[in-house]
Amino acid sequence: MDCRKEGCAQPQDEDIMDIPLDDPAANKAATKIQAGFRGHMTRKKMKDDKPREEKQRDQK
């Protein structure tokens, strides 16, 4: 089965197993990716919360 032709959403299992989990460089890269994503989510949440805070301040 070729995912490129059939449009699979998930990678093949063989691709996942090629990553050495005990490699320090892989762990460092994963940490950077996770930190970037967490920062993105925090900024998104703060942006969504800001209009509510401004509305509450204006009503007082």
Side-chain angles (χ1 to χ4, degrees):
M1 183 169 110
D2 189 12
C3 280
R4 284 173 257 152
K5 291 180 183 176
E6 298 192 17
C8 294
Q10 296 292 328
Q12 295 292 329
D13 290 334
E14 297 94 32
D15 294 339
I16 295 171
M17 299 308 291
D18 289 342
I19 302 170
L21 299 177
D22 59 346
D23 182 18
N27 286 334
K28 188 174 179 180
T31 302
K32 281 190 160 206
I33 292 168
Q34 290 172 354
F37 182 75
R38 288 182 181 137
H40 164 75
M41 293 304 290
T42 301
R43 288 187 298 275
K44 183 178 177 182
K45 184 175 186 233
M46 290 177 67
K47 183 180 177 184
D48 290 344
D49 289 344
K50 190 174 181 180
R52 285 188 220 132
E53 292 174 4
E54 289 177 358
K55 287 179 184 176
Q56 290 174 354
R57 223 180 336 176
D58 292 340
Q59 290 176 355
K60 289 181 181 179

